[in-house]
Amino acid sequence: MPSTEKKSNSTPVLNNEMRDEIRKYFARYPTRQAVTLPALHVVNKYLRHVPLQAVVEIAELLELSPAQVQDTLSFYGFFPQQAPHGEVRAWVCRSISCALRGGEEVLAHMCAKAKIQPGETTANGKLTLEFGECLGACELAPCMLAGDQLVGHLTAESSEEFLASCGALGTS
Amino acid sequence: MEIDLTNNTPVLLSRIGRPESHTLSDYRADGGYEGLARVLRDMKPEDLIQLIKDSSLRGRGGAGFPTGLKWSFLPKDHPGPIYFCLNADESEPGTFNNRILMEEDPHQVIEGLILACYATRSVTAYYYMRYEYPRAWERLLKALDECYSAGILGKSVLGSGFCLDIFPHRGAAAYICGEETGLIESLEGKRAWPRIKPPFPAVEGVFRKPTVVNNVETVACVKQIVDRGVDWFKSLGVPADPKNPRDPGSYGPKLYCLSGHVERPGCYEAPLGITVHQLVDHFGGGVWKNRHAKAAIPGGISMGLLKADEFDCPLDFAGPGRYGCLGLGTAAVVVMDETVSMVDFLHNSARFFAHESCGQCTPCREGTAWALRMLERIRAGRGRLKDLDLLLEIGDTIGIMPGTTICGLADGAAWPLKNAIRKFRSEFEEYMQRTNPSGYQQTDAVPALSSLSHGGH
């Protein structure tokens, strides 16, 4: 059968560390399916994306079909599958409070400086730049979430400093 | 009538801004968890439900449903388990009050959550937090560790024999997970498609068991009512309308989020019922740059739009509705000055809802996308007067109010359309005449400029 053949040919992508971390969630929920989102977060934390092979392996761990995991994964648009996101993943807010204070201009400026479009990763893999919908930091507008860091009061200057700090300023 | 703010003292925010406010020791130094200990010792769960019913507390997440009543919908003598979900998926544009509470005073939220679980006889609580709050997440994990070490959570909460676990659960950047049945589906590991009700979560919620979903600020209010009493809570806010037997009133303090074009954006605590003027001028320092206001969102973008001459609108549960808005929502006010184009505002709003529609119901999935494509075309100078009627037709036909969708996301998408076009119609018409002089009167079908753009979560 093609599927078995494919499975046996694929190198596992989940290591024991990831598997143990996922298993720790089992006791928290009455169903294994509820561990889907935590498992996706675990894999994304280590691999910066969740490739299809990881979906298959998560499904095995959770006693689900791969389609069930893929269905949930694809709903969120949060977990990249084709390639890892950058070493830093940053979201620049484009919702109303930030837009009123120049958020969209900052995002356009950053994209021009990093020579990428929203959603893309710089060629050197340092940064993935995305738009975000309301980041819940409207008092700091315009704002950005870069990894675990909330950056407020963004300006053209401060956003360039950020790009430089993560090695994402495009060269021309 | 304006609320007197001379003696306004923050309660929910009383501990905010101190360097150690998020730690258990600092919280306990302020009497934290003493109210919980007293309740566990002296009150039965049904007594606590009655206390919250007596306070007339209404949910702070947006819908304003009476909290005690929601709890009392749980089946009596159920063999269990009953689950509690704390809705910390705050993502309504303009809203950040829960983030402030969770970052600066996580134990206040946890104490309120434990009290709510005790009242509802829940022994497992899921704390569902949106992904975009990493600082609040880190502080929640630390605070939960502190609670387990101190015997505040676990097999016997404060030695009372009441057993409770709180499990943190992290979202993945989807607005719809803040809808309570969307949250439940997401928690179960599925796509966050809201459920058709009934059955309501109190009867059949997460894992097919009775479930209560409450907002972060709501449980913080529970803690304050336990500490300060019903009389204190009802001394704040706006009494029930005697002419409307179904009005439960708007009592207690509220966290107002203020952002946009004001001098001092921020999260401010005031009694329910302050006016937009009071929020903007008393707390926000007025409109920025000595400009004039043009409009404001009254309670998160879903609630619609107030014109500048409607800023006497009281921000209680009944106020914004009298001004044609959807409601109080999250009480997040976003001010727009005289330079803001309503075309730009409505485009921003439509883009948000087109991006966040979960895709389950056709009127919402297609309606929000059509509205966005039309507004992209209008903004690009290809608008026709007819588009305004088409946009209003979408606004009037998507949502749970016209009865075409499962959840209220579409109502939230509809209200900005309806309010912006009905309150600022001449501005849209003038924009079209100016930017599309040869085509604004055209009425035959025209193609969209392009398919919707992608590139974010």
Side-chain angles (χ1 to χ4, degrees), chain B residues 59-61 85-88 90 97-98 213-220:
Chain B
R60 268 31 178 173
C85 297
L86 189 69
N87 188 342
E90 173 173 79
N97 52 319
N98 287 347
V213 185
N214 278 157
N215 175 265
V216 167
E217 187 186 336
T218 307
V219 300

Side-chain angles (χ1 to χ4, degrees), chain B residues 40-84:
Chain B
L40 293 173
R41 191 181 62 230
D42 298 338
M43 288 176 91
K44 295 198 208 77
E46 51 269 30
D47 300 336
L48 183 52
I49 293 183
Q50 192 58 47
L51 182 82
I52 299 306
K53 271 188 174 172
D54 292 344
S55 77
S56 300
L57 169 64
R58 295 172 68 176
R60 268 31 178 173
F65 194 83
T67 304
L69 191 59
K70 197 181 211 180
W71 293 355
S72 66
F73 289 159
L74 289 166
K76 307 283 174 277
D77 305 317
H78 191 275
I82 291 167
Y83 290 110
F84 199 97

Side-chain angles (χ1 to χ4, degrees), chain B residues 24 44 58 95 106 146 193 251 264 288 302 305 311 438:
Chain B
L24 178 59
K44 295 198 208 77
R58 295 172 68 176
T95 311
E146 288 178 311
W193 276 2
Y251 294 103
R264 291 194 300 272
W288 74 344
S302 297
L305 213 50
F311 281 15
S438 61

Side-chain angles (χ1 to χ4, degrees), chain B residues 77-131:
Chain B
D77 305 317
H78 191 275
I82 291 167
Y83 290 110
F84 199 97
C85 297
L86 189 69
N87 188 342
D89 194 61
E90 173 173 79
S91 6
E92 174 69 24
T95 311
F96 50 93
N97 52 319
N98 287 347
R99 189 194 99 237
I100 304 280
L101 283 176
M102 295 189 290
E103 286 184 351
E104 303 277 325
D105 202 358
H107 284 287
Q108 179 183 191
V109 179
I110 292 172
E111 185 175 359
L113 174 55
I114 299 172
L115 286 162
C117 288
Y118 179 70
T120 55
R121 302 178 190 270
S122 310
V123 294
T124 304
Y126 295 102
Y127 195 131
Y128 189 110
M129 192 188 293
R130 71 178 303 200
Y131 177 81

